[in-house]
Amino acid sequence: MSDETLLKFPCEFPIKVMGKNEITFEKLVADTILIHVEGFDPGATVARESKGGKFLAVTATFTATSKAQVDAIYQSLSKHPSVLMVL
């Protein structure tokens, strides 16, 4: 995996995570990011239901300090069975 990136760290980084609309999904996203981002504010998440209410999209914005950190968050979220997609 290349270490090249167009981002300049540290930077504010929004990540969108989509999954089934379960009561604990937003907390799952925040807790996963907290593992990788010291001082992450779980209140910095915004959740939006799909039109039919079956799915939930959670956008979390955090201060990213490196490409490795961002990659680790993507990998952790992508591995979780409740997560359908990470953008």
Side-chain angles (χ1 to χ4, degrees):
M1 195 178 287
S2 172
D3 283 340
E4 290 182 34
T5 181
L6 297 176
L7 298 172
K8 301 286 184 202
F9 295 101
C11 66
E12 291 301 301
F13 192 88
I15 191 167
K16 183 177 274 191
V17 187
M18 288 167 268
K20 292 181 182 175
N21 190 357
E22 299 169 343
I23 195 161
T24 58
F25 188 71
E26 190 171 0
K27 183 175 179 348
L28 163 88
V29 173
D31 288 349
T32 302
I33 293 172
L34 268 168
I35 293 168
H36 301 280
V37 180
E38 187 177 325
F40 172 69
D41 176 12
T45 61
V46 177
R48 195 173 120 220
E49 287 186 2
S50 64
K51 188 175 181 179
K54 186 175 179 179
F55 301 101
L56 192 65
V58 177
T59 302
T61 303
F62 60 93
T63 302
T65 57
S66 69
K67 182 179 182 306
Q69 179 192 44
V70 172
D71 289 345
I73 293 168
Y74 271 96
Q75 288 173 2
S76 293
L77 288 166
S78 296
K79 288 179 185 176
H80 198 282
S82 295
V83 174
L84 300 173
M85 186 181 304
V86 183
L87 303 172

